Amino acid sequence: IFKNPAFKRIQLLEVLDILLIYTYIGHWTVQSTSLLLERKINNMASGHGFSATLEKKLKDLSVTVHSIQGISQWVIHHRKHAKTVVGHWYKELQSGSSNRKLTLLYLANDILQNSRKKGTEYVTEFNRVLPKAFHLVNNEKDESLSAAVSRILSVWEERKVFEDDLIKKYKAYLTAGSSHSHRRIRSDSDAKKRIRDSPPVPKPEELSPAESPPKKREPPEPEELFKRMAAIDRSNSVAADTATQQRIAALPPEVHSSSLSVGLKDKTAVNQLMEKVDEAIKLLSDYTARVEAEVKEREDIHELLDAYIWQQKHLLRETKKKMKDHQGKLEKVTKVRQELQSHLASLPDISKLPTNMVAAVPTIGQELAPLPSAGDLFT
């Protein structure tokens, strides 16, 4: 076991932990400990093999769609190694040129969008390094690179890959400290080559909707949604309760500050102040509970609105798709009609033919005269 080269990668403390635990629980046997160590070493060996394969794949990564999607599908399949994948990805990003950084960000985009339905491993891991990654992009001072990365962020914002607050932070990292006078603008030919060779990032309107609505909320019926929105209208909200707000504003200062009650020596005065404090507590508790209930209701309505908007976008895309299909069919039918009209125009006008020729032309349903036999042709 110790001759296994992967053993060098195991920390000595991990091996000692295994030995100590087995000794403590009384299971100290050569066979059991040997098997456990062998399993541990083999796991490390497989992890080392994965890292080596990953490094090679990242080195071979090109800007083509085929290359990006191939590696993306491979790492998604091995999502249990998400931390290792993202670590190697960021290492490559640090040492890469502007073109290389953009290719790696296209890879991250593909991984993030296609792995979400299987788990959040990559969303979590990428979230830890993306701020530093966008800072590196910003340091490149490359306008064409920043524009391409901004498009990726717009896609993530539309697809809800990350929360809106995170997207805003990413955009801030991307533009922090940048100024037009310090940008290094590449030549037009270089910029055109980058755009031509880069795999296309889908525009938000071209993206297919998520398979489930935000937070998996069932889209509400319009009547139900409008009813709840009307019920919490400003006129019925806590903010419109000016009477309670005036009562809170009119509370005596001694109920807000304990220092004002230090000088009270009369028991009656203390009891009176206690009554005022109890009333203030009840008033504030009731008002706070109402505010919390309204906040919860508004948050719930917000989620329902997100689900309703998702549903409408989904229906809009489906309708546009059907419209496009039917427009294609209409074009085909119109083309057939034009061909028929052209063919019809090329046919002779029967009314202008001689009478004997018209009589020879068979009508629809009329049987044709039999063709001559071979013997008739040579007589």
Side-chain angles (χ1 to χ4, degrees), residues 63-349:
V63 77
T64 62
V65 175
H66 176 75
S67 176
I68 290 173
Q69 290 181 348
I71 297 178
S72 173
Q73 292 172 5
W74 184 78
V75 298
I76 291 173
H77 177 72
H78 295 282
R79 61 185 180 279
K80 66 179 181 180
H81 297 294
K83 187 174 182 180
T84 302
V85 170
V86 176
H88 282 77
W89 176 88
Y90 182 66
K91 183 179 177 181
E92 286 286 321
L93 190 80
Q94 285 179 301
S95 59
S97 62
S98 292
N99 286 330
R100 184 66 174 168
K101 283 182 173 62
L102 183 58
T103 304
L104 288 165
L105 284 166
Y106 281 137
L107 175 62
N109 172 61
D110 199 275
I111 294 171
L112 284 167
Q113 293 203 56
N114 293 309
S115 66
R116 289 186 302 159
K117 62 181 70 174
K118 296 183 178 180
T120 60
E121 296 90 342
Y122 282 108
V123 174
T124 302
E125 294 300 329
F126 271 111
N127 184 34
R128 295 174 180 172
V129 300
L130 281 175
K132 295 182 289 185
F134 290 129
H135 183 68
L136 290 174
V137 171
N138 182 36
N139 288 341
E140 291 291 326
K141 306 301 180 185
D142 187 336
E143 189 175 26
S144 59
L145 173 62
S146 299
V149 176
S150 295
R151 286 188 60 198
I152 295 176
L153 286 173
S154 298
V155 172
W156 291 355
E157 187 175 18
E158 174 69 19
R159 293 295 300 271
K160 303 294 182 184
V161 176
F162 294 102
E163 297 293 334
D164 292 342
D165 292 341
L166 282 176
I167 296 293
K168 291 179 181 178
K169 290 181 180 178
Y170 294 159
K171 291 181 177 179
Y173 284 118
L174 185 62
T175 58
S178 62
S179 62
H180 184 73
S181 59
H182 292 87
R183 288 177 182 171
R184 185 181 77 243
I185 303 177
R186 294 179 177 267
S187 63
D188 291 343
S189 60
D190 191 13
K192 290 178 181 178
K193 183 177 183 299
R194 178 195 299 278
I195 295 173
R196 183 178 66 251
D197 295 341
S198 301
V201 177
K203 297 179 180 179
E205 61 269 16
E206 295 173 349
L207 295 167
S208 58
E211 292 185 356
S212 59
K215 297 187 178 181
K216 297 184 179 180
R217 292 295 301 266
E218 188 70 22
E221 293 294 331
E223 295 80 6
E224 175 194 352
L225 182 60
F226 296 152
K227 184 177 180 180
R228 291 184 64 174
M229 291 173 63
I232 203 170
D233 187 70
R234 182 170 178 80
S235 59
N236 300 324
S237 67
V238 179
D241 188 0
T242 55
T244 303
Q245 294 175 11
Q246 289 174 359
R247 288 179 60 193
I248 294 174
L251 289 173
E254 55 267 23
V255 303
H256 297 290
S257 176
S258 58
S259 60
L260 299 178
S261 61
V262 175
L264 295 176
K265 298 181 179 180
D266 183 15
K267 186 176 181 179
T268 304
V270 173
N271 288 333
Q272 290 177 349
L273 181 58
M274 279 291 294
E275 291 179 0
K276 293 180 180 179
V277 171
D278 290 340
E279 291 178 1
I281 290 175
K282 185 178 183 306
L283 177 64
L284 291 171
S285 297
D286 292 344
Y287 191 77
T288 302
R290 290 172 57 196
V291 173
E292 290 176 350
E294 182 173 324
V295 168
K296 185 177 180 181
E297 176 68 7
R298 290 187 181 276
E299 288 177 345
D300 193 59
I301 291 176
H302 187 194
E303 291 181 4
L304 290 175
L305 281 170
D306 286 341
Y308 184 75
I309 292 172
W310 170 88
Q311 182 189 45
Q312 295 305 310
K313 287 183 177 180
H314 179 81
L315 293 175
L316 177 60
R317 287 186 178 93
E318 291 296 322
T319 305
K320 285 185 176 180
K321 184 179 178 181
K322 291 180 180 178
M323 180 182 70
K324 189 174 181 180
D325 292 342
H326 285 82
Q327 284 177 341
K329 293 178 181 179
L330 177 60
E331 290 176 0
K332 291 179 180 179
V333 174
T334 304
K335 185 177 180 180
V336 171
R337 182 185 178 185
Q338 291 174 349
E339 292 177 353
L340 287 174
Q341 289 176 339
S342 176
H343 181 66
L344 182 62
S346 65
L347 293 176
D349 189 354

